[in-house]
Amino acid sequence: MTIVSMVVDPDQRFPLWLLHEYFYGYSVSIIGVLVGAAWAFVTGFFWGWFAAFARNLVYAFWLMTLRIRSDFSTTRDFLDHI
């Protein structure tokens, strides 16, 4: 996006410079493309890891709930057989 913005819109009407406020070292330049790519990798990795962790946590709780309900339903009449 930075390269396209530099080539197509040299007056910088699209405010890519605001990304400098969030990503340290970013600028609308060729070096900024490399810095932006590094930041994109880091933030993408972090949010991807977090999304996968949250999904796996919800899935584990759901499976644990199903297993507990199944165990309770099979042992509900345990004392009736004694």
Side-chain angles (χ1 to χ4, degrees), residues 8-61:
V8 175
D9 187 20
D11 296 333
Q12 300 298 321
R13 288 178 293 208
F14 191 72
L16 286 179
W17 56 271
L18 287 174
L19 290 174
H20 177 71
E21 298 297 322
Y22 298 105
F23 302 123
Y24 178 76
Y26 176 79
S27 63
V28 182
S29 65
I30 299 299
I31 300 296
V33 171
L34 299 174
V35 172
W39 275 110
F41 176 78
V42 169
T43 56
F45 180 83
F46 172 77
W47 286 111
W49 179 88
F50 181 74
F53 176 77
R55 178 209 171 261
N56 290 340
L57 187 65
V58 168
Y59 190 65
F61 279 131

Side-chain angles (χ1 to χ4, degrees), residues 74 77-82:
T74 58
D77 60 349
F78 173 73
L79 293 177
D80 292 340
H81 297 288
I82 294 181

